[in-house]
Amino acid sequence: MGGEPGTPLIVGSGIAGLYVALRARELGLRPTIVTKARLEESNTRYAQGGIAAAVGAGDRPALHFEDTVAAGDGLVDRAAARILTREAPARIADLVRYGVPFDTVDGQISLGREGAHSRSRILHAGGDATGFSIEEALRRSAIDAGIEAREERVLRALRPGSAAGPRAVVSRPDGRDLEELAPGPVVLATGGAGSLYRQSTNPAVATGDGIAIAFRAGVLVSDMEFLQFHPTVFAREGAPRFLITEALRGEGAILRNQAGDRFLNARRGEAELAARDVVARAIQREIRRSGHPSVYLDATGIPRTRLFARFPSVCRFLQAYGLDPSKEWIPVAPVAHYMIGGVTTDLEGRSSLPGLYAAGEVAATGVHGANRLASNSLLEGLVFGERVARQLARPVAGAPTVPARLLVLAPQRGAGRRGSPGQLALVREQLWENVGIVRNATGLRSAIRALRGVARSVAPTNGDDLPGAVANAALTASLMATAALCRTESRGAHFREDWPRPRAVWRKHIGLRLAGRAGSSARAVR
Ligand SMILES: Cc1cc2nc3c(=O)[nH]c(=O)nc-3n(C[C@H](O)[C@H](O)[C@H](O)COP(=O)(O)OP(=O)(O)OC[C@H]3O[C@@H](n4cnc5c(N)ncnc54)[C@H](O)[C@@H]3O)c2cc1C
């Protein structure tokens, strides 16, 4: 299976992994997909709102670009955002070609509106089942194209290989059937890290393994302090943290506190469709002030037929919990949602390690800056996935042009033995309590101490031990806490109550690389 030139190994089967595999196949390669659980299990499957692209009348990629840059709060890589927004319409055409049934009205693509977008430009499918529709169409296309897909196979490590790429080590989730593959191109499409938080919208597979594995192999990772919280997630004791899409606010739903008052403060730039970090912090402030565990989303002003036609999944879910959103307010609170940082890539999806590529949520392409514009993430997986597929088919000579970043000494390596569910719970608790919506130096230091303790307790007993799930979780979490401690300012999704304003000196990215490898540094280099 996979690994050698011409037979790239693709790790993950969300939008990024499936799309890269399909395009690589069309370009004459024989890719193999390995994926941790069933083929369809991914963040992609749960995406609701949709995918952004300037395809509507009166919209242009330049406007989409401006909104993306504004949301990113001074840190968007403009070249990457230009590519994202210009290439979006062509990638949407690819999805249509693979059979994604985007919703239409009178024969025209129907476009929704989401926070911080200046135009209605969100394509959706099945109302609010966009991710499901995309995942199903790509999965079916991959099967039809005869792409080899190995389910319940986990990437465990990347070992030194050849100029073509690293050697990937894979096994079953329980460690059986360990294989070290021949050196060759490897594409990390392992998704985000949201489920490392106690409260998150993400499925269990989103544990940031790809970041930990790449980091241990000496690969540069960046923007790890930027984790986006989704402001409106169903908040009822005992119920799953089901996302109530922002598109509902786009259709006119409003936020109220328990007393029924609208609490968003326009003087602070707060509004229902303000950027997610702004709305999430405003809700958290209200929750703390009132002592009530949630605020409420009031969708009762949207006509019932429209509400149920446009948001069938949300309405079905709420009805299962005995709540009719056309008559009652929906209890909501912010939870962890989207990992902005990850494996640093250049504009072609190349990481700092030759032959290792990253696409989708695991990658840090720079398009999101300090804060992701809603519905740009499915798009990022496609646009940079296409570039990765082209690289796989016709690699450009020379070292990857990973952008110059600020490098700091990385935290310890962390690896080894299997940990316990209790240790995983500790990691999730530390991130939730100390690396959350509002952070400070004391909490971040205490998180780093606790996470290092976990990493030490699962350290290898001998040189051959491969890191397990707990070691990966503790390492990814400690990279997040370390970068968050380092960034002594507030910007985008990263808010420090001890440094509540942006600072010009921090208008740059934080990169982390394993200490002791070429290119790492014991001092901050600016
Ligand atoms: C509830 C929810 C709603 C969302 N709504 C939207 C939206 O409306 N619009 C939007 O643009 N974005 C949305 N997002 C974000 C978006 O869904 C994700 O950013 C995107 O789907 C990520 O795609 P991906 O292919 O990078 O990763 P994923 O879809 O998460 O796929 C990752 C894959 O990697 C596999 N994997 C992980 N680790 C390993 C390993 N070690 N070995 C082997 N396989 C591994 C997983 O099993 C999975 O198959 C939403 C996310 C959630 C959770």
Side-chain angles (χ1 to χ4, degrees), residues 13 15-16 35-36 41 43-44 49-50 155 209 338 361 375 377-378:
S13 55
I15 191 169
T35 190
K36 196 172 180 172
E41 188 57 343
N43 269 359
T44 299
L155 176 71
D209 313 5
Y338 179 81
E361 194 167 335
S375 289
S377 42
L378 291 169

Side-chain angles (χ1 to χ4, degrees), residues 75 223-228 339-341 369-370 487 491 493-494:
L75 281 191
D223 298 337
M224 291 298 292
E225 66 278 36
F226 297 119
L227 182 289
Q228 188 173 68
M339 185 63 205
I340 293 168
R487 185 173 287 281
R491 184 185 293 278
H494 168 74

Side-chain angles (χ1 to χ4, degrees), residues 343-402:
V343 174
T344 316
T345 62
D346 69 0
L347 298 177
E348 313 306 328
R350 298 185 296 177
S351 79
S352 64
L353 183 72
L356 180 70
Y357 303 83
E361 194 167 335
V362 68
T365 59
V367 284
H368 306 305
N371 209 1
R372 173 184 70 122
L373 184 65
S375 289
N376 264 355
S377 42
L378 291 169
L379 180 63
E380 181 191 26
L382 293 178
V383 167
F384 291 94
E386 170 70 17
R387 291 176 155 248
V388 167
R390 288 188 196 163
Q391 281 296 311
L392 293 172
R394 280 182 299 280
V396 169
T401 48
V402 170

